[in-house]
């Protein structure tokens, strides 16, 4: 039997089923094919079983134990195994891939551990809070004959029964990915050596779009969110009970990370972006 390497002090070592990773990364869900431009590292499992704990990780997040399911940043699994081997994938066998996941910010790397599932509840790492994301039950819909009243308010139904977006709202990560792609396209056009007017106009249009995305990303507002799970240190921070049902004001750009865990989509945000706690601390 091949021995599993021990993680360095700041890291957890988690194992993820190769089969589950393959299923999660499938570009086709049911009869819908999702383009790669909209699935940039969004369909990783983002969780794995803890099989090793470094000394520093144990001190920083003592609630995390061997056998718990660790919720992690999608960067750990990257786009594929080749990319993941650069910083995270350190071992594999026939059934599992083994990843190191940082328990706290270390040596220029951000904290990649969102929290753990102990079999009953999620225990967030002290750097993160788990928030509720509204989900509509669509199990009773007749997909053959949909009406505008039955679908999400951002969708409409054409005469042919096709779902169409009224307005597409991108996440911060999608906007940043679009910005990076525009920058790459601009650099390629600049290197082409083609000085024709059309080329210059194309570069200018892409630069304008990048500026517009940058302004949109950096626009700050505060939005209320209901807490699902909070680390106990959050109550010490506010000097009052903070937990399930508490309402907090979050900076808008801090709530773009979501994970589908146990069939529920949850929002993961850093505690440092909590702007305020509502006076009526517990929502009805």
């Amino acid at each position: 039997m091949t021995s599993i390497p021990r993680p360095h002090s700041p890291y957890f070592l988690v194992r993820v089923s190769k089969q589950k990773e393959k299923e999660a990364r499938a570009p086709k869900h049911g009869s819908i094919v999702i383009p790669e431009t909209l699935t940039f590292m969004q369909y990783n499992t983002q969780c794995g079983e803890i099989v090793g704990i470094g000394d520093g990780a144990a001190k920083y997040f003592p609630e995390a134990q061997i056998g718990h399911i660790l919720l992690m940043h999608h960067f750990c699994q990257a786009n594929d195994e080749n990319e993941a081997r650069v910083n995270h994938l350190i071992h594999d066998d026939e059934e599992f891939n083994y990843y190191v996941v940082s328990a706290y910010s270390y040596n220029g790397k951000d904290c990649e551990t969102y929290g753990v599932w102990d079999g009953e509840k999620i225990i967030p790492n002290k750097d993160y809070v788990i928030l509720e994301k509204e989900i509509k039950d669509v199990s009773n819909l007749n997909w053959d004959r949909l009406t505008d009243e039955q679908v999400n308010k951002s969708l409409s139904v054409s005469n042919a029964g096709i779902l169409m977006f009224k307005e597409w709202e991108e996440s911060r990560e999608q906007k940043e990915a679009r910005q990076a792609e525009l920058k790459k396209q601009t650099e390629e056009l600049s290197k082409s050596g083609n000085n024709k007017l059309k080329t210059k106009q194309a570069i200018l249009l892409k630069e304008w779009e990048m500026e517009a995305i940058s302004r949109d990303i950096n626009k700050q507002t505060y939005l209320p969110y209901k807490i699902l799970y909070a680390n106990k240190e959050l109550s010490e921070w506010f000097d009052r009970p903070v937990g399930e049902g508490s309402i907090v004001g979050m900076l808008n750009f801090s709530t773009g990370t979501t994970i589908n865990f146990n069939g529920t989509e949850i929002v993961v945000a850093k505690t440092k972006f909590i702007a305020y706690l509502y006076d009526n601390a517990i929502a009805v």
Side-chain angles (χ1 to χ4, degrees), residues 27-91:
K28 187 172 182 180
H29 291 258
S31 60
I32 301 175
V33 177
I34 304 175
E36 291 183 4
T37 53
L38 294 178
T39 60
F40 176 67
M41 288 190 286
Q42 293 179 19
Y43 290 97
N44 289 323
T45 63
Q46 289 191 257
C47 63
E49 180 187 356
I50 298 177
V51 294
I53 303 177
D55 293 337
K59 291 178 181 178
Y60 193 80
F61 191 11
E63 298 92 338
Q65 302 294 319
I66 298 291
H68 283 176
I69 302 301
L70 185 141
L71 280 64
M72 59 187 173
H73 197 290
H74 59 73
F75 280 173
C76 298
Q77 292 171 281
N79 278 315
D80 53 42
E81 291 185 6
N82 289 332
E83 284 189 13
R85 288 183 193 280
V86 177
N87 291 307
H88 296 95
L89 180 56
I90 63 169
H91 180 69

Side-chain angles (χ1 to χ4, degrees), residues 107-167:
N107 197 26
K109 179 178 288 188
D110 205 359
C111 173
E112 299 163 331
T113 298
Y114 295 147
V116 294
W117 171 259
D118 66 0
E120 297 180 356
K121 62 185 180 301
I122 294 175
I123 306 172
N125 191 347
K126 65 182 74 176
D127 294 330
Y128 292 96
V129 61
I130 309 298
L131 306 168
E132 181 177 290
K133 181 178 176 65
E134 183 182 0
I135 296 178
K136 297 184 181 296
D137 182 10
V138 295
S139 60
N140 62 339
L141 290 183
N142 180 352
W143 293 100
D144 295 326
R145 302 187 66 176
L146 289 173
T147 65
D148 284 339
E149 289 75 22
Q150 289 177 291
V151 300
N152 186 295
K153 62 183 179 181
S154 63
L155 297 168
S156 62
V157 184
S158 71
N159 292 333
I162 299 174
L163 291 177
M164 303 178 67
F165 283 98
K166 297 176 183 175
E167 183 178 353

Side-chain angles (χ1 to χ4, degrees), residues 7-271:
H8 188 45
S9 181
Y11 294 95
F12 291 103
L13 181 66
V14 303
R15 67 178 187 181
V16 181
S17 163
K18 289 183 175 181
Q19 180 60 33
K20 287 186 177 179
E21 281 189 322
K22 182 179 179 180
E23 292 170 357
R25 289 169 173 166
K28 187 172 182 180
H29 291 258
S31 60
I32 301 175
V33 177
I34 304 175
E36 291 183 4
T37 53
L38 294 178
T39 60
F40 176 67
M41 288 190 286
Q42 293 179 19
Y43 290 97
N44 289 323
T45 63
Q46 289 191 257
C47 63
E49 180 187 356
I50 298 177
V51 294
I53 303 177
D55 293 337
K59 291 178 181 178
Y60 193 80
F61 191 11
E63 298 92 338
Q65 302 294 319
I66 298 291
H68 283 176
I69 302 301
L70 185 141
L71 280 64
M72 59 187 173
H73 197 290
H74 59 73
F75 280 173
C76 298
Q77 292 171 281
N79 278 315
D80 53 42
E81 291 185 6
N82 289 332
E83 284 189 13
R85 288 183 193 280
V86 177
N87 291 307
H88 296 95
L89 180 56
I90 63 169
H91 180 69
D92 73 289
D93 54 33
E94 291 184 2
E95 190 175 356
F96 296 101
N97 280 327
Y98 295 80
Y99 299 88
V100 286
V101 184
S102 59
Y104 50 87
S105 297
Y106 167 77
N107 197 26
K109 179 178 288 188
D110 205 359
C111 173
E112 299 163 331
T113 298
Y114 295 147
V116 294
W117 171 259
D118 66 0
E120 297 180 356
K121 62 185 180 301
I122 294 175
I123 306 172
N125 191 347
K126 65 182 74 176
D127 294 330
Y128 292 96
V129 61
I130 309 298
L131 306 168
E132 181 177 290
K133 181 178 176 65
E134 183 182 0
I135 296 178
K136 297 184 181 296
D137 182 10
V138 295
S139 60
N140 62 339
L141 290 183
N142 180 352
W143 293 100
D144 295 326
R145 302 187 66 176
L146 289 173
T147 65
D148 284 339
E149 289 75 22
Q150 289 177 291
V151 300
N152 186 295
K153 62 183 179 181
S154 63
L155 297 168
S156 62
V157 184
S158 71
N159 292 333
I162 299 174
L163 291 177
M164 303 178 67
F165 283 98
K166 297 176 183 175
E167 183 178 353
W168 180 264
E169 184 176 344
E170 293 181 306
S171 68
R172 180 182 178 89
E173 288 184 345
Q174 288 173 322
K175 291 173 183 176
E176 289 176 340
R178 172 61 179 162
Q179 196 174 38
E181 178 60 26
L182 285 168
K183 183 178 180 181
K184 180 181 177 182
Q185 293 174 4
T186 301
E187 291 173 348
E188 290 175 351
L189 285 170
S190 299
K191 293 177 182 178
S192 67
N194 191 338
N195 293 320
K196 291 183 179 180
L197 181 60
K198 287 185 178 181
T199 302
K200 292 181 178 180
Q201 288 176 335
I203 291 174
L204 187 60
L205 288 172
K206 293 181 186 300
E207 288 177 343
W208 283 348
E209 187 177 349
M210 282 191 289
E211 289 178 8
I213 293 173
S214 181
R215 287 195 299 271
D216 186 37
I217 288 175
N218 294 315
K219 182 172 61 178
Q220 294 186 2
T221 58
Y222 298 96
L223 302 172
Y225 278 85
K226 184 189 294 186
I227 291 179
L228 287 177
Y229 302 98
N231 190 284
K232 61 183 180 181
E233 289 197 7
L234 204 54
S235 295
E236 298 174 10
W237 183 11
F238 281 100
D239 196 26
R240 69 178 74 178
V242 180
E244 182 181 357
S246 298
I247 303 295
V248 289
M250 303 295 304
L251 274 172
N252 59 309
F253 62 74
S254 69
T255 55
T257 299
T258 60
I259 294 180
N260 192 308
F261 184 72
N262 283 351
T264 301
E265 192 170 13
I266 57 177
V267 175
V268 180
K270 287 192 173 183
T271 52

